[in-house]
Amino acid sequence: MYQLTHLFTPIKVGRFTLKNRLIMTSTAPSGDYATASGKPSQWLFNYLEERAKGGVALICTSVSFYPRDPESEHYPAAYLEEHIADLQKLAEVVHRYDTLLVGQMITIGQWRRNIAEPEHKWGASEMVFHKGLSPRQVMSEKDIQIFISQQVKSATILQKAGFDAVEILAGIGNPISHFLSKASNNRTDKYGGSIENRCRFLVEDIQAIKKACGDDFPVLVRFSPVDYIPGGNDLSDAREIIPVLEKAGASWLNCQVGWHETSIPLITKDVSEGYWSFITAELKKVATVPLISAYRYTDPLIMEKTLAEGKADIIGGARYLIADPEFVSKAREGRIEDIRRCICCCRCLDDVVGRSIGLEYCSVNPRLGPEIAIPLEPAPKPKKVMIAGSGPAGLSAALTAAKRGHDVTLYERSPRIGGCLTMSAVFSPLYQQLTDYYQNQLRKTPNIKLLLNTTITSELVKKEKPDAVIIAVGGLPIELNVPGADGDNVVRSHDFFELLSGTIPKKSGFINRAMFTAGAIFLKFFYSPGLLNKMMAFPWPFGSRVAIVGGGLPGCDLALELTKHNRKLAIFEEKRKIGFDVGPSDRFHTLNKLKKAGVQMEAPVKVLAITDKGVKVGRADRTEFTCEADTVAVTMGFEKNMKLADELQDIVPVLFVVGDCADPKRMPEATKQGYRAAQLI
Ligand SMILES: Cc1cc2nc3c(=O)[nH]c(=O)nc-3n(C[C@H](O)[C@H](O)[C@H](O)COP(=O)(O)O)c2cc1C
Ligand code: SF4
């Protein structure tokens, strides 16, 4: 049993007490979680309810404090008296579970696409820190007062609706943080210059809300102590800002990291667990109100350690609860291995912030978007379900079908579960952690029988006579059809899938055949992604110069890994850009790292042939060149694979095809499709 005593010690914040030290920082799920006019939908009620029920002490939810452009993101509206009734219902749902509810009055800042809302464009100056953003609209003193009066009105509405507090967003480059930062605030009026002046906008806002809502109504502040933009605020500024905000009446300081315009990774896989706690650890030396350390926490043991070492008072985060709404109750009960931890793929953030669509997809949690509106009911009659393939789609289908009471047999042709996870785990331990989670859940679910090294065939299906079959066997590799593609110097990502499945890929060349045979035998009995990662340093199968054909996510991941092992690399992609399918949160950093490592990246180009010298490539301007390489790695992704579906369609009463074999996409789609199929049986 794990001792998480610090995490589960209550703490007082202003007039309220948190029952534990875990909060959900604001998420604006947008999309259909609210209508264009700001009416919260059933999705939002259920989203908040699932998380409150899961035991978190407090949830922040974003609300709009001014009328929004219907074309922009949908947030619950909180600026007119008529909004109180719906907001009240939200508060009631959350309070039912002894969880507190805070409304964060949100403006993101210039980051959003151009929409007709001055609030988004406002700033202390015109300055922006990311190419492609148009200049900010400089706020006049009148604009500042309009902003404050809108927030005051919204705070009173939230208070009347029974919200426990309001949070002012003053970080990530939004209008207020544009004033706080010494990089963006070049004003010469009373809102610019000294720390006191740069804080004035925020201080006036806090004080005006306190005046309207009463001195004991908690006003919380979320800000970025360190901006991570050139010339921006650092810890020394933050040390001076904190006493000013405390004096103004802030009841807690919820510490974000950086701005949306920051060019270093903040919450991707590259950032280690709890890394940013050094910020609150430093600021605790001056703060007297509770400090929240947020960003990049998924492990309850690291959360506990952060508190135990006195580096923060409260742990905040969003994705740990997007991934598993029951995170807190599982941690409290010591069921740590049952926690479905976020793998930091950033899909949720990319959809909501990067692509301005709703929160519908997560790599590990299928119950978002339309799924959240439908309770997962036990099946009226348990059915016999056969599932082919234990990648993300098959695993999601198996656990969901079993949860509904069906009698599930999961067939996996390889010696271990995971499908594409077994390969991804070589590049990141977060995928192995997810596979371990699935392994544990399968072990603990009595109505799932796992059969490894077993392939579903039509004969087996005829013999077993299931009520339903779910096919989740993965896609077929897209082959490179050019002269030389079957050469000794060519390895395909699929060769490694075969290897990890304990199958010997068909290869030419004596060394290749011998090594792949030895590898397949070894991997049949022993699999360690960490060891496989280390083995990438060996001169086989990747020589010292590697040309990668296929610049999507798998190609970029492979290149990034090989740069650590001193290979000279080139990537060739037919589509318009390298990393075309890498989410916005990761793409910038991935390309940056590849560039810094001197990787030659060419897109769009066509690979014309592979020779023993390397790769012959054609550019759009019809010029051709040869890239010298010892190894050519083909990572062109997958296409659909309906072979088994075609064989089974007339012999089973109910058949679903899910994941990459139906429509090759990313893990969130596969996880959701598996869930949906199991929900329909
Ligand atoms: C889908 C999504 C929506 C978010 N919306 C907001 C928001 O409205 N306001 C805010 O302050 N932070 C927002 N965030 C940031 C989170 O509150 C959190 O600070 C961030 O995700 C880093 O913490 P994590 O690593 O625990 O996810 C959002 C994050 C996600 C993933
Ligand atoms: S989508 Fe990815 S980053 Fe977001 S919660 Fe799910 S696993 Fe984590």
Side-chain angles (χ1 to χ4, degrees):
M1 180 80 175
Y2 297 93
Q3 293 295 316
L4 300 174
T5 43
H6 293 85
L7 274 183
F8 292 97
T9 303
I11 181 171
K12 219 168 150 33
V13 178
R15 71 175 184 191
F16 60 68
T17 301
L18 298 185
K19 62 184 172 186
N20 57 53
R21 304 290 181 105
L22 288 159
I23 66 151
M24 181 165 199
T25 53
S26 215
T27 53
S30 71
D32 290 338
Y33 286 77
T35 63
S37 61
K39 190 173 176 55
S41 74
Q42 196 56 44
W43 291 13
L44 185 63
F45 281 97
N46 294 7
Y47 175 78
L48 296 178
E49 180 165 13
E50 281 192 5
R51 281 146 187 90
K53 196 173 174 184
V56 69
L58 178 149
I59 297 177
C60 280
T61 193
S62 304
V63 296
S64 67
F65 62 96
Y66 56 85
R68 296 181 64 83
D69 180 339
E71 289 303 307
S72 84
E73 294 71 21
H74 305 169
Y75 305 141
Y79 51 87
L80 295 175
E81 299 290 320
E82 67 194 57
H83 298 142
I84 292 176
D86 282 329
L87 295 167
Q88 224 161 15
K89 286 185 208 149
L90 286 180
E92 276 162 22
V93 162
V94 172
H95 287 158
R96 218 176 276 157
Y97 302 93
D98 196 21
T99 295
L100 302 165
L101 185 62
V102 170
Q104 183 193 70
M105 299 174 291
I106 185 171
T107 42
I108 290 291
Q110 188 66 329
W111 193 251
R112 297 287 201 207
R113 67 196 138 79
N114 252 355
I115 41 180
E117 288 168 20
E119 289 83 353
H120 268 323
K121 299 182 187 121
W122 274 339
S125 68
E126 288 194 343
M127 274 182 255
V128 291
F129 301 89
H130 192 277
K131 67 175 183 330
L133 294 179
S134 38
R136 299 275 185 131
Q137 192 176 310
V138 182
M139 285 179 93
S140 64
E141 291 197 14
K142 190 170 160 224
D143 294 332
I144 293 173
Q145 294 317 315
I146 290 174
F147 187 103
I148 292 175
S149 63
Q150 286 172 322
Q151 292 222 323
V152 168
K153 172 82 182 160
S154 185
T156 57
I157 282 169
L158 290 163
Q159 185 185 32
K160 284 184 201 159
F163 278 54
D164 299 284
V166 291
E167 187 175 71
I168 299 174
L169 180 59
I172 53 137
N174 88 334
I176 302 181
S177 58
H178 215 249
F179 279 76
L180 287 179
S181 176
K182 64 186 179 212
S184 47
N185 188 340
N186 60 0
R187 297 171 78 105
T188 50
D189 62 4
K190 64 179 181 179
Y191 293 98
S194 64
I195 289 269
E196 197 193 345
N197 283 358
R198 296 196 328 255
C199 289
R200 191 179 303 280
F201 180 3
L202 178 53
V203 165
E204 286 180 358
D205 200 17
I206 299 169
Q207 288 174 338
I209 294 171
K210 286 244 161 219
K211 192 165 168 218
C213 296
D215 206 36
D216 67 337
F217 185 66
V219 177
L220 316 173
V221 172
R222 186 161 211 213
F223 85 122
S224 306
V226 185
D227 296 333
Y228 291 110
I229 51 167
N233 286 356
D234 54 25
L235 281 171
S236 62
D237 299 282
R239 268 187 232 109
E240 289 184 57
I241 288 173
I242 284 178
V244 180
L245 303 185
E246 286 182 343
K247 190 164 165 235
S251 297
W252 82 18
L253 296 169
N254 182 355
C255 298
Q256 299 183 291
V257 188
W259 287 19
H260 280 153
E261 285 150 88
T262 297
S263 61
I264 57 164
L266 300 174
I267 60 165
T268 59
K269 285 192 213 47
D270 296 336
V271 180
S272 59
E273 187 79 22
Y275 174 78
W276 301 111
S277 61
F278 77 87
I279 293 180
T280 41
E282 189 54 35
L283 299 181
K284 267 184 69 69
K285 293 176 189 159
V286 294
T288 57
V289 298
L291 288 189
I292 297 163
S293 176
Y295 281 44
R296 219 15 212 101
Y297 286 100
T298 68
D299 180 349
L301 300 180
I302 301 283
M303 294 171 169
E304 170 70 14
K305 189 164 172 274
T306 304
L307 296 182
E309 290 174 354
K311 291 180 168 172
D313 301 296
I314 296 166
I315 302 293
R319 294 173 303 164
Y320 78 107
L321 287 177
I322 291 177
D324 190 346
E326 295 175 56
F327 184 105
V328 180
S329 53
K330 289 174 182 172
R332 194 183 52 231
E333 291 157 18
R335 295 193 293 125
I336 291 191
E337 65 178 19
D338 290 340
I339 293 176
R340 188 176 54 204
R341 280 169 59 183
C342 160
I343 57 166
C344 298
C345 68
C346 291
R347 171 64 179 269
C348 52
L349 200 73
D350 288 343
D351 279 352
V352 172
V353 180
R355 303 188 183 101
S356 299
I357 53 178
L359 176 61
E360 296 194 23
Y361 286 94
C362 164
S363 284
V364 301
N365 181 9
R367 279 189 58 76
L368 292 168
E371 284 66 32
I372 208 168
I374 308 164
L376 191 65
E377 305 277 9
K381 188 168 159 249
K383 300 260 171 80
K384 179 172 176 175
V385 182
M386 290 173 84
I387 299 177
S390 71
L395 288 164
S396 167
L399 290 171
T400 309
K403 205 166 183 180
R404 297 191 56 226
H406 294 307
D407 178 15
V408 177
T409 308
L410 179 60
Y411 296 82
E412 171 53 54
R413 75 180 173 114
S414 89
R416 58 192 64 87
I417 65 156
C420 62
L421 293 175
T422 53
M423 181 96 126
S424 305
V426 177
F427 300 130
S428 164
L430 294 176
Y431 292 98
Q432 185 54 39
Q433 178 190 293
L434 178 61
T435 314
D436 291 344
Y437 160 81
Y438 278 127
Q439 188 76 59
N440 276 321
Q441 298 311 301
L442 293 181
R443 193 170 39 79
K444 288 181 174 183
T445 311
N447 50 334
I448 299 182
K449 188 157 100 188
L450 171 65
L451 294 179
L452 296 173
N453 302 305
T454 313
T455 305
I456 287 194
T457 58
S458 48
E459 289 71 37
L460 183 65
V461 171
K462 280 181 198 153
K463 186 170 148 242
E464 291 294 331
K465 298 188 180 53
D467 298 303
V469 173
I470 299 176
I471 300 178
V473 292
L476 287 173
I478 298 175
E479 299 290 357
L480 179 65
N481 288 317
V482 297
D486 55 354
D488 295 1
N489 55 347
V490 179
V491 288
R492 307 169 311 155
S493 51
H494 201 63
D495 296 333
F496 297 100
F497 271 124
E498 295 286 307
L499 264 188
L500 292 168
S501 314
T503 313
I504 305 167
K506 288 192 190 74
K507 298 301 295 176
S508 61
F510 173 75
I511 296 182
N512 279 342
R513 276 202 298 273
M515 295 296 274
F516 273 110
T517 305
I521 294 168
F522 179 75
L523 282 165
K524 199 164 177 84
F525 303 103
F526 183 77
Y527 164 75
S528 156
L531 179 66
L532 287 172
N533 183 292
K534 288 201 175 75
M535 284 170 70
M536 289 177 81
F538 293 173
W540 184 91
F542 301 107
S544 55
R545 297 167 307 169
V546 183
I548 298 175
V549 182
L553 181 64
C556 291
D557 274 351
L558 176 65
L560 278 178
E561 211 49 53
L562 288 172
T563 57
K564 296 178 196 158
H565 301 290
N566 298 324
R567 301 312 209 285
K568 185 169 184 303
L569 288 152
I571 309 180
F572 303 108
E573 170 54 49
E574 269 196 6
K575 295 205 173 71
R576 214 165 50 83
K577 38 187 193 181
I578 302 285
F580 59 89
D581 57 349
V582 181
S585 301
D586 267 319
R587 189 165 180 275
F588 175 78
H589 307 300
T590 301
L591 295 186
N592 233 358
K593 276 192 272 179
L594 292 173
K595 248 183 243 161
K596 274 195 189 142
V599 177
Q600 179 187 355
M601 290 183 272
E602 301 262 357
V605 289
K606 210 167 171 51
V607 168
L608 304 172
I610 295 173
T611 65
D612 53 3
K613 290 207 167 43
V615 187
K616 199 169 156 204
V617 183
R619 290 200 175 104
D621 62 5
R622 294 177 187 277
T623 55
E624 292 179 8
F625 67 98
T626 295
C627 167
E628 292 191 1
D630 308 301
T631 311
V632 179
V634 181
T635 56
M636 291 174 34
F638 294 95
E639 56 194 2
K640 67 181 191 178
N641 171 11
M642 297 297 282
K643 188 167 171 286
L644 184 59
D646 292 341
E647 281 172 33
L648 300 188
Q649 65 175 344
D650 295 327
I651 55 175
V652 283
V654 178
L655 179 68
F656 294 96
V657 190
V658 296
D660 279 7
C661 58
D663 181 16
K665 286 216 167 91
R666 305 238 68 89
M667 202 196 311
E669 280 83 2
T671 306
K672 198 182 266 294
Q673 285 172 18
Y675 176 92
R676 276 184 185 161
Q679 202 181 27
L680 290 172
I681 295 173

